[in-house]
Amino acid sequence: MRGIKTRHWSIFHSTGELLHKTNNAKAYLYAGIALLWSIALQLGPLIVGIWLVFQGEWLKAILIPIVLYLTIGFYMAFWPFIAVFIFIAGWIKYSFIESLLGTVTFVFIAFILFLGPEWLMLRAFMAAEKAEKLKRRTYVSDDTVFDDTEYKEDLQKEFTSIPDPPDPPETEELALEESTEASIAETKEEITFKRDIISELSEEVVSLKRELAFFEAKYHSQIGILYVNLDGLELSIKEYLKRIELLKTGKVKNLVDLEKTIKEHFRSDYEQIREEKEEAERYTEEYEAVKEKPELDEESEKRLKSLYRELAKKYHPDMAQTPEEKERFHKIMAEINQAYNDKDLEKMEELAMRLKAPERTFFRETLEEEFQRLQNESEKLDEIISRLEEELLSIKGSDTYKFKQRADEASAQDRDLLKEMEDKLMAEIKQKEEDLRKVKQEFKNLAKDLA
């Protein structure tokens, strides 16, 4: 049905176009027949339904037009496949000639019913085009009839072949200057936008590093120290088991030699435990120091981030123009990062005032030189953005970041992941202490026999 409506609208639209294009009677005749034919296809099932209503057949009046519309729509959409099916089925059941005749008859009926309006509209347009050609103005002289089309075309070529006068040099230079100024303004906007991105990425990188450093310090102070204690207990159990082994095999004759052997055997283990303990204690001190720092309110936190971004735009080391300037920027950014990590708003305010320097000025610079300099700066900013994005991806790919995400997800479910680990380790430590007590007792019994 949708295909019928679309086709009907196409015929109607083409008829309207033809009315504006020509007044040829033959074209009007073709178009009128095509339009009436198309409307008949469109309204035929509906007219059948109205007739059935007057006959009192209400159910048929509803169902028959629907079936007719669906049948016609299916017929129009799939007539090529139906034709192929008729040909194959006729060939199988009857003969090739009968199958071919049946298929040709079906296609002819399909053409007459559904493609007839399109064929008539094509004929209408051809008639209109032929009439327009006959209307072309001609001139008659004696027995000669000639068309003025070629004359007009020659005149047109003659006039169009004359080149336009060149622009004055001043106009060309002015146009070039305006174009360069527009490019400079556009590049400056790009640079401002990229500097904003760099400041945001720098702030995100520093914030993530600060959060991960705090989480790592908390982990080592709460969990790391327990692992050190657990490793120490396991090492003590290994020592006593080794003592028992040496006593049972008789490889040592007295307790003094026994202790010397034990110290030599476990020297590297003692060193490892000592380093782990120092690291855990260092993290604990850092964690306690961070906990003692006062938290900033929301307004102060926003101000701190805003100041950091403004300073990072100007003093990111990769934005330096010379090696000396890059070294100076490194020192400045170290101060800025330290103030940000310490959440020291007062220090950040002081840095913002002290580092408030005027923008660089460039003297005796042509528009082309300025544009080239800005292009180079824009490319440099792209490199900085790329490096910051890579650093951010590296941080988010680290084990510490993934473990912190797990802890945050657990916290969202009202669970304390570190506390759960702490409880589990405390249970293991308690079990190791019991194991150590047993091997100590066994060693004491053997040592009494040796004494």
Side-chain angles (χ1 to χ4, degrees), residues 204 208 212 391-398 401-402 405:
E204 187 176 359
L208 267 182
L212 293 182
E391 186 177 4
L392 199 59
L393 286 175
S394 176
I395 292 171
K396 290 183 177 180
S398 65
Y401 180 83
K402 293 175 182 177
Q405 277 191 313

Side-chain angles (χ1 to χ4, degrees), residues 197-215:
I197 292 176
I198 288 171
S199 66
E200 290 174 8
L201 287 174
S202 299
E203 189 269 327
E204 187 176 359
V205 167
V206 174
S207 294
L208 267 182
K209 285 181 177 179
R210 182 181 66 186
E211 290 174 13
L212 293 182
F214 178 76
F215 178 77

Side-chain angles (χ1 to χ4, degrees), residues 60-72:
K60 291 181 180 179
I62 295 172
L63 294 178
I64 289 178
I66 293 174
V67 171
L68 286 174
Y69 276 126
L70 291 174
T71 303
I72 293 171

Side-chain angles (χ1 to χ4, degrees), residues 38 43 66 82 88 95 122 129 144 216 221 271 359 422 440 450:
S38 182
L43 300 179
I66 293 174
I82 297 172
I88 295 173
S95 66
L122 178 62
E129 186 176 353
T144 305
E216 194 171 8
S221 66
E271 185 65 24
E359 295 288 335
E422 182 181 0
K440 273 186 177 181
L450 181 63

Side-chain angles (χ1 to χ4, degrees), residues 242-256:
K242 187 66 177 180
R243 287 187 180 99
I244 292 169
E245 178 191 345
L246 292 173
L247 289 177
K248 284 183 176 180
T249 56
K251 292 182 179 179
V252 293
K253 303 300 182 183
N254 54 65
L255 294 179
V256 176

Side-chain angles (χ1 to χ4, degrees), residues 39-254:
I39 291 174
L41 283 176
Q42 174 71 19
L43 300 179
L46 186 61
I47 292 171
V48 172
I50 294 172
W51 179 78
L52 288 170
V53 168
F54 282 105
Q55 297 298 316
E57 300 288 343
W58 289 93
L59 183 61
K60 291 181 180 179
I62 295 172
L63 294 178
I64 289 178
I66 293 174
V67 171
L68 286 174
Y69 276 126
L70 291 174
T71 303
I72 293 171
F74 179 82
Y75 196 80
M76 291 171 64
F78 299 103
W79 70 267
F81 302 100
I82 297 172
V84 172
F85 176 77
I86 291 173
F87 177 75
I88 295 173
W91 194 358
I92 293 172
K93 191 170 182 180
Y94 300 103
S95 66
F96 175 80
I97 300 298
E98 290 175 333
S99 171
L100 185 62
L101 287 173
T103 305
V104 170
T105 303
F106 170 79
V107 172
F108 178 74
I109 293 171
F111 176 82
I112 293 297
L113 282 177
F114 305 117
L115 301 180
E118 278 82 354
W119 180 78
L120 287 170
M121 283 306 302
L122 178 62
R123 294 287 300 174
F125 274 102
M126 290 172 65
E129 186 176 353
K130 187 175 181 181
E132 287 299 318
K133 287 181 179 179
L134 292 174
K135 277 185 174 183
R136 187 182 301 167
R137 188 172 57 181
T138 58
Y139 296 92
V140 181
S141 173
D142 297 329
D143 297 330
T144 305
V145 179
F146 62 92
D147 194 344
D148 68 338
T149 304
E150 291 185 9
Y151 175 72
K152 289 182 177 180
E153 289 178 353
D154 291 340
L155 284 178
Q156 183 67 22
K157 288 179 182 179
E158 183 178 348
F159 281 111
T160 54
S161 63
I162 301 175
D164 295 331
D167 294 333
E170 295 81 2
T171 306
E172 292 181 359
E173 291 178 5
L174 183 60
L176 180 60
E177 184 176 339
E178 289 176 352
S179 174
T180 307
E181 287 177 348
S183 300
I184 287 173
E186 184 179 348
T187 308
K188 283 183 177 179
E189 288 180 4
E190 289 179 3
I191 288 173
T192 302
F193 178 70
K194 289 174 183 179
R195 283 180 179 272
D196 289 337
I197 292 176
I198 288 171
S199 66
E200 290 174 8
L201 287 174
S202 299
E203 189 269 327
E204 187 176 359
V205 167
V206 174
S207 294
L208 267 182
K209 285 181 177 179
R210 182 181 66 186
E211 290 174 13
L212 293 182
F214 178 76
F215 178 77
E216 194 171 8
K218 181 181 180 182
Y219 171 83
H220 282 284
S221 66
Q222 188 174 345
I223 305 299
I225 194 69
L226 295 180
Y227 273 117
V228 173
N229 294 338
L230 187 62
D231 290 344
L233 287 170
E234 290 178 346
L235 180 58
S236 297
I237 292 171
K238 288 180 182 178
E239 287 179 7
Y240 278 101
L241 289 175
K242 187 66 177 180
R243 287 187 180 99
I244 292 169
E245 178 191 345
L246 292 173
L247 289 177
K248 284 183 176 180
T249 56
K251 292 182 179 179
V252 293
K253 303 300 182 183
N254 54 65

